[in-house]
Amino acid sequence: MSDFSQLALEASVPSEVMQLLSEFEVATFARCCTSHAESEDMITQLCADSGLVEHPSKLLARASLRLLLSRCRAAEALPSLEQQSTLPSPASLPTPTLPPSTPTTPASSGWQESWPAKLSPEKTAALRRRFEEDYPTELLDSESFPSARLLALTSKMISDREIRWLPWKFRLSSKSQEDSMLLRPKKQPRLSELSDLLLDDAPTREIHDGPASYAFISQMLSLASTSIALCQGAHLGALKMYNKKFLQLCFTKYEPASNLRGPTSLEAQAADKRSWEILSDLVNQHSWKLDDALHEVSEVRSDLASLLAPRPHVSKRMLEGQDQWRFRPNGRGRGAQQTGRGGKGRDGKGNPTERLERGGKGKTSQKGGDKNGQAPQGKWLSTIFMEGKKHTLCMRYQSGQCKDPTSCRYVHKCEAEVVDETSLCVSAVARAIEEHRFDFSTCLSLLEESFSSQAASALKDPAVTQSDAYFNLGAFGFNDGRRCGVFQRTEQFSDIARFLNAFLRLQFPSASWTSVCVSHNVRTLLHTDAGNEVGSFNHSISLGNFSGGEIWITPALHGSAVLVPPPTGPETSAAVVFPASRNKKEVLVERLQGMQMGGGLSLSLSAAHSPSLDRRYESYNSSSVSRGMGLQSFWVLGALVVDVVVALGCQPSDLVEVIPAAGNVEYLTGGCGHEWEATSSGNRTASLAPLSVKASVPGDLLTDLQVAGQIGDPLYELNFLNSSIWSEQTWTFSTNFSVNTRLFASGSRLQLVFDGIKMGAVIRVNGKTLGTATSQFMRYTFDLKREDLRAANGANRLEVAFDSSIPVGGRFMACSGGWDWAPYTKTSQDGVKTFSYGIWKHVYLIYTPAGSASITHVVPHVFFKGMYPTEALVDGQHAGFTVKVKVFLSAPAAANGTLTLLPSWRPTVSSRRISIPAGSSNHTLEVVANATDIKLWWPIGMGEQHLYQLGVQFKGDDLTGSTQTTRQIGFRYFALVTGNDTDPAYVARASTEEGTESQGMYFRINGAAFWSKGANVIPMEELEGRMLGKAHRVMVRSAAEGGMNTLRVWGGGIFLPDEFYDACDELGVVVFHDMMYAQRGHAPERTPVQDAELRHQVRRLSSHPSIVIWDGCNECTVTMGSPTEIYATFVMSVVAEEDSSRSIWPSCPAFGWSTGVHKLDSAPNGNVLTTPGKAETIEVHGYYQHGDGFPTMNGEIKMHPFKANLPIKVSTDPTGLDRRSIFASEFGAVVMSSFESMAPTLAPEHWGLHAGQPSDTCKRDVRDHNQCQGSNVMAQRNYPCDNLINAYFGDHSESYFNKTGEGIFKQQLYQCMLSQALILKADIETRRSANQFGCLVWQLNEIWPTGGWGSLEYGTPVKGQVLGGRWKPLHYFFRRSVFSDIMATCGRDGQCYVKNDSPWPFQGRCNVMALCFGDGRRMPLHGLDLDLMQGPGVKELFKVDIQNMSGTDYMLLSECSTNIKDDRRRQIVTAFGASEGNVVSFNEILMARPADLRLPTAKVSAVVATSPNDDGSIDIVLTADKTVLFLTLTTLAHGRFSDNAFAMSPGIGKVQFIPFGALDRTLLQSSLRLEHLQPYQSWQGGEHIYV
């Protein structure tokens, strides 16, 4: 539809008239008349020619044509004909496309006003979708979304490329516009004014004079910012920077004695208008970008400060008798006049000749006020005593605005005696931040000073009985996310908020938060923290000077409290209240909790979780209740924990590594206001002109090019092969930054740090080369010299120039550019495939003051002190642990100081006096963890995951501040076992031997052997700009909830983000970790870069208790005397030197070691590492079920049929730890993904397994992937699935696979995914019947939305994808039975077994039933009462009688339940069709392949509940009229189902949808899709079922 047709449609022009206007365009129609009289004649003629003769129709047509003509002229920036004929001169005309800022007298008809046309609903929706993609954390509701008129004005302004001020009277939200339209008086319907009834008058708001309202002005600014950002006029961050500066200046507090005030509403409006006039001049006249202009006005120029400068206050005498609201009486207080409580004063203290006056608890005549009993107003200091006289301080001098004492009548002296080099007064809080003083005593004193005087005005909370002080800072989210925002005090107390944010991060480095709560003398009643995320933890810290107290916790809302004994003995230190083991608590939100301290002064910090601001998946049911916090003087600070940190200071919210600790850190990444640009060199040969696009850091080039519209989605169709724009020219990433000259003082050091650069690049600052980056896995640190830097604001230019000619030795993600589950590209470097590149991690500046040092790494190694255990250790009854902490320091000059360890599990600290040289050094300290002070860390399903904080502090002798950082550790003892350690004689002998045995391979942790079950992890992304820390967390949780306890980080990928390892620590998933070597051009070389890379990554990750094994590489058998011996002599030797606390392994798979490790646990012993030439196989990779039958980049081109392993063959051989065993660290089957995942990356005409295109011509290459010629899109999507479908669903002709369309593609993908699930279910059940103690499936996740090997789909939440990965049917099989520790299954001839692979004995029962397909009956076959010994490897065989039954008419069901109620050692499964109670596994067992089953034709429907359950899940009620098998639910909503791909008998059942974050019920309901086996059994297919 053309613009003219759209305008005509909006003006309601009749169709009869539109036929006469078919040849017109906006420009021609706008100019068809030159006067109002001509327009009336034209309208009359058009109505006559169209045949409109009835009077009402004719009037409506005339009015609509007038409206159309007006809007066309407005669109062409022409004045209204009515105004042109009535107004005296063109100079008095309003701006054509933007209404005037001052009220004007309207014409007789509002249609004559020259407003731009409103945007169509489709365009508005598109702008909104783009905005939500660009700014996913921004909330757009009816109160924050701009009105249609405001959006139209903004869109016109941006499209005209002429920046103008948007008048405040037109800044309405969509809700305000709707409300104003409802309140408008109705016009009297007279025919003579019928056109007036059709008018579209623009609603406006009145701007009243008077004191400025923070909420009102904030809304004015944010509506304009949102509107401009929606129209892509500027980045929202730059607009918010302007808003923040405006509000800060507008609402600066002034002392009453200064007789100054801030601007009124109209004065603020005038200041905003003038500021935008400056902005428009920079943009329109000088060709600045609006982002740059906003930075100029906000941060560089002083115009805003001048426009919003304080005004003289009108005296009270002039206002007597009017406007009494301006001078409200003071509230009731505790002073003599009861006019206010006052603050903590200093009257009567200090130097008698020069002391500060302040109201409050001073030694004055009246308590709670000043010496006259009056409460002070605010906390600003306004007067000072000097030489016996009282003087008034200059408050403009405090903020650095007044610098001339000769012309100022106020005293130029700071509120606090702290002045920096620029003569600006610096608060104590700011100084503490700059000096990095985040110790407990500093925190306590700053809280007292910052908040005690504000207690009287604190907001009441229904849970609080005393309102002395209760404050919230940061963000809030209530009513399930419907009410979100930022607490008003956040801006008011921004300095202390930044301090508290940093302080809490040191105490809880793996946590994050959205808000901070501070309270003083608060006693809470019994209440529920409804705003906290279920299943999250409350983190609590206490400090101060008090004694006694008690904490109690109970596991349920109405349960009986379990009292925790109070600490013994008083504490007098202001820095530590309780012994450290009781100083920090982590309490699950679902538990009741209470606290009662003794007398004295105390500060307590507690953290909880806000659900509405979080996108993490949590599955717990919980509520939090606390009670009894009443003290003489008690402070509480709380932080709501989520994954996305609301930056109270400037810190990135995602993919943040543990960085070096130093005096000050400034991030140069996009989230902190730094704009990056990527600029290309151009290439005339390739016809590529130079190009510049906005870049993201962290990020990658291809993602930036896609966002800029230069390329399409790289994963769509074959876009990843069209590489000239990124591969045939060089690209440079650049930004500007400033240097804080006060922090970079004499003797201090400034360093530039890159946490990750991919791939070869040259780094320059102000044109000077600092160095070259050649490894994606390195942290690069460069010293910056004063003489190379510029002092002006933003004057320093940082450039990272990528150059493919720089040799990098394969030190980047090996799967870049292709693997047999990743897209193959045409780009390469030194013969190695490549793909995207960029600055993929954060960039920051580190300021280290003179006399101090930065802490670059803290490497804690945990060693068990006892003998080798073969039985599970018990808390409090073992030998304890020693923690050896190696601290790496880097100093600008030689210094002396004290290095201190601050362990949270014991009351004492460990300190040492040290001398450090200039440059790098390291020191090792030890601290003991006694069994009585700690609890053990266990894998999931074996116990809880107790974690402890380990603080490290360095304080130079000449500094008041210190450098501090924290790591989180857990206490566990892990052993990679290769001998029979159930034999005491072997243990005694092996305790003095080295190398590896060859009996088998299994794991022990804390003395308990366990079955390792899990998967291999590949990178979640090849396009690093899409990478999300939250997605990694959800992926790990999906693994844990899928029954897995082990993940192997594959060596052809990357060292993963911290969020992955943190989630493994918290959830109890052990990590088997390759070094990043995978052959194929990515083999190691003994170079300084690779040496440094290995050391950095081991040091970075050593604190994580989940990492239990380091190994050298993927599939690179290490043989001494061959090229692969470098893995022993270099790679693993460096790793062993850096970390002797973990088991090490040559490669994956491997035969083990000859020397260099302790035989019992495979930990390094300090000797030379060597491997055996030949040994028994104890670890394997395979079997792999590849796909073939169609020419693709992988697999055999010809079809190789195989038989379905149904039913399985059960091994009857004995099993146990004392017998030979195998560890399978890789095996798998190929698979595609769901239609929802794959369809967005394919054109609809290619929706089919063979894409409906001619096949490619592919040549088999056994050494690498196939070489294919052609354009078939499915040939590039890894393996085909033809042979799998034929094996399980019967032979299909080639025409079946060549079919395309939505229906057939869904059928093909369902068959492919179910085939993979059945293959691996049978494979693992067969393995479990034998003696295998490790089953790690290849693979867990996918790297793109297509064919691969994973049980989770591509997990980046772009179109069609689910955060962290949608669960495939196989993953539900894992959860339901395959990875259950207790599982029963049956095979050929009714041979069955039940297996206990848990480390605990099992008492319970397993029942085997037959599900008859015809009528859905369940027929009991066998029941078995069990009393099994502790596992793993305990098997009991039994048989069921199925001789007279046909496997095509039934399936077996096995259900195992524990006899112990609430057995916390067992993972209870929630399986559809399972019994109520303690079910630990529910297995659906096919006795024939799907193609042969005789299933009835069935209909299935689903209904989504109207509201969610208390735990955040939502019910889905299913109805089936006949038996259905493998009923599979799929949705676009982010989350998983409680069960899926299951059998359902006729009737009604229920499953739950469990969201990964906030529930989107509308999306769930609209996109929910049901499939089941019967319609897909034959290749012709059947009718598809939708909900």
Side-chain angles (χ1 to χ4, degrees), residues 858-865 879-887 901-906 910 912 923-930 934 948-952 967-972 1102-1103 1140-1142:
V858 174
V859 185
H861 292 152
V862 178
F863 296 92
F864 182 56
K865 295 168 62 178
F881 293 82
T882 298
V883 185
K884 296 183 179 180
V885 186
K886 182 177 284 190
V887 182
L901 297 183
L902 304 165
S904 66
W905 61 88
R906 56 180 297 167
S910 175
R912 179 190 297 173
H923 297 265
T924 301
L925 279 70
E926 290 189 12
V927 63
V928 172
N930 296 320
I934 60 170
Y948 296 87
Q949 306 301 317
L950 176 64
V952 178
R967 297 294 184 271
Q968 186 168 260
I969 68 172
F971 295 98
R972 86 288 180 272
S1102 284
S1103 64
S1140 60
S1141 67
R1142 286 176 170 83

Side-chain angles (χ1 to χ4, degrees), residues 1207-1479:
I1208 68 170
K1209 182 179 180 180
V1210 174
S1211 170
T1212 57
D1213 293 339
T1215 58
L1217 294 175
D1218 58 341
R1219 300 177 180 275
R1220 284 194 51 78
S1221 65
I1222 288 289
F1223 193 104
S1225 48
E1226 277 191 25
F1227 61 94
V1230 299
V1231 68
M1232 293 289 174
S1233 295
S1234 67
F1235 176 81
E1236 282 73 6
S1237 176
M1238 291 188 65
T1241 65
L1242 297 168
E1245 61 268 24
H1246 297 153
W1247 284 350
L1249 284 183
H1250 290 184
Q1253 297 176 284
S1255 299
D1256 279 9
T1257 301
C1258 299
K1259 294 182 179 180
R1260 178 68 174 150
D1261 186 343
V1262 296
R1263 295 169 301 174
D1264 201 354
H1265 63 85
N1266 297 337
Q1267 305 300 319
C1268 295
Q1269 299 294 324
S1271 59
N1272 189 296
V1273 296
M1274 292 304 294
Q1276 294 290 335
R1277 277 158 168 76
N1278 309 121
Y1279 289 95
C1281 203
D1282 302 27
N1283 56 332
L1284 277 72
I1285 292 176
N1286 285 348
Y1288 284 83
F1289 288 86
D1291 290 340
H1292 291 63
S1293 68
E1294 187 174 352
S1295 63
Y1296 171 74
F1297 295 110
N1298 286 336
K1299 287 179 178 292
T1300 59
E1302 181 176 341
I1304 194 66
F1305 199 27
K1306 288 177 177 176
Q1307 174 169 324
Q1308 292 169 348
L1309 296 176
Y1310 175 93
Q1311 292 174 329
C1312 181
M1313 289 191 292
L1314 183 58
S1315 297
Q1316 181 224 23
L1318 293 173
I1319 289 170
L1320 287 178
K1321 179 177 184 293
D1323 189 352
I1324 296 173
E1325 289 178 354
T1326 303
R1327 292 173 185 270
R1328 292 189 70 176
S1329 71
N1331 209 34
Q1332 292 196 11
F1333 295 106
C1335 287
L1336 304 185
V1337 175
W1338 184 265
Q1339 59 203 41
L1340 176 65
N1341 56 306
E1342 304 288 12
I1343 202 169
W1344 67 319
T1346 184
W1349 300 75
S1351 61
L1352 299 177
E1353 292 181 353
Y1354 178 54
T1356 299
V1358 295
K1359 185 176 181 181
Q1361 316 308 319
V1362 168
L1363 180 69
R1366 184 183 285 109
W1367 288 28
K1368 298 181 187 180
L1370 174 61
H1371 211 78
Y1372 289 99
F1373 285 14
F1374 287 156
R1375 173 180 172 80
R1376 196 161 59 222
S1377 66
V1378 174
F1379 277 157
S1380 296
D1381 284 338
I1382 312 295
M1383 185 271 294
T1385 192
C1386 297
R1388 302 171 193 172
D1389 303 323
Q1391 179 63 63
C1392 307
Y1393 73 91
V1394 59
K1395 191 81 176 290
N1396 179 16
D1397 279 319
S1398 77
W1400 323 115
F1402 177 75
Q1403 295 84 35
R1405 181 177 176 82
C1406 288
N1407 294 314
V1408 179
M1409 301 157 280
L1411 172 63
C1412 302
F1413 300 148
D1415 55 12
R1417 290 182 300 112
R1418 292 189 179 190
M1419 184 169 60
L1421 297 178
H1422 191 83
L1424 191 65
D1425 290 316
L1426 297 168
D1427 188 1
L1428 300 176
M1429 297 174 56
Q1430 70 182 46
V1434 175
K1435 180 175 69 174
E1436 184 168 325
L1437 298 168
F1438 64 96
K1439 278 199 169 188
V1440 295
D1441 185 4
I1442 55 174
Q1443 290 184 358
N1444 299 321
M1445 301 172 65
S1446 171
T1448 61
D1449 296 325
Y1450 74 97
M1451 74 185 326
L1452 295 180
L1453 306 176
S1454 75
E1455 179 181 282
C1456 296
S1457 303
T1458 175
N1459 290 340
I1460 304 174
K1461 187 177 181 181
D1462 299 327
D1463 189 349
R1464 298 200 174 192
R1465 290 179 172 178
R1466 310 293 174 201
Q1467 290 181 286
I1468 305 301
V1469 301
T1470 53
F1472 186 91
S1475 304
E1476 297 290 336
N1478 299 320
V1479 177

Side-chain angles (χ1 to χ4, degrees), residues 398-469:
Q398 301 281 321
S399 58
Q401 300 178 27
C402 183
K403 299 182 180 179
D404 186 5
T406 60
S407 60
C408 181
R409 64 192 183 98
Y410 301 109
V411 174
H412 279 209
K413 198 166 185 66
C414 287
E415 169 189 7
E417 290 304 310
V418 181
V419 184
D420 66 5
E421 291 83 348
T422 60
S423 299
L424 291 177
C425 297
V426 181
S427 68
V429 179
R431 178 63 69 183
I433 294 173
E434 291 168 6
E435 295 178 353
H436 211 72
R437 288 187 288 111
F438 298 110
D439 54 275
F440 281 38
S441 56
T442 300
C443 182
L444 181 62
S445 63
L446 292 178
L447 284 173
E448 291 183 75
E449 181 174 347
S450 299
F451 292 101
S452 59
S453 61
Q454 299 294 326
S457 61
L459 294 175
K460 299 293 182 67
D461 187 286
V464 179
T465 58
Q466 302 177 23
S467 60
D468 292 28

Side-chain angles (χ1 to χ4, degrees), residues 352 446 528 543 567 675 686 841 847 931 1007 1160 1166 1182 1351 1372-1373 1467 1494 1570:
L446 292 178
T528 300
L543 33 48
E675 294 291 336
K841 291 188 179 182
Y847 294 87
L1160 284 174
S1351 61
Y1372 289 99
F1373 285 14
Q1467 290 181 286
R1494 295 192 291 188
L1570 305 182

Side-chain angles (χ1 to χ4, degrees), residues 301-350:
R301 301 193 180 190
S302 60
D303 299 84
L304 260 183
S306 300
L307 293 168
L308 296 170
R311 277 78 167 161
H313 205 297
V314 180
S315 67
K316 184 175 180 180
R317 293 190 300 274
M318 299 176 62
L319 294 168
E320 287 180 355
Q322 61 179 350
D323 292 342
Q324 292 299 319
W325 52 269
R326 293 176 181 266
F327 293 92
R328 296 172 181 165
N330 289 329
R332 294 174 60 85
R334 299 178 182 175
Q337 308 298 324
Q338 293 198 357
T339 56
R341 178 171 179 268
K344 182 170 288 187
R346 300 176 182 172
D347 188 17
K349 299 179 182 179

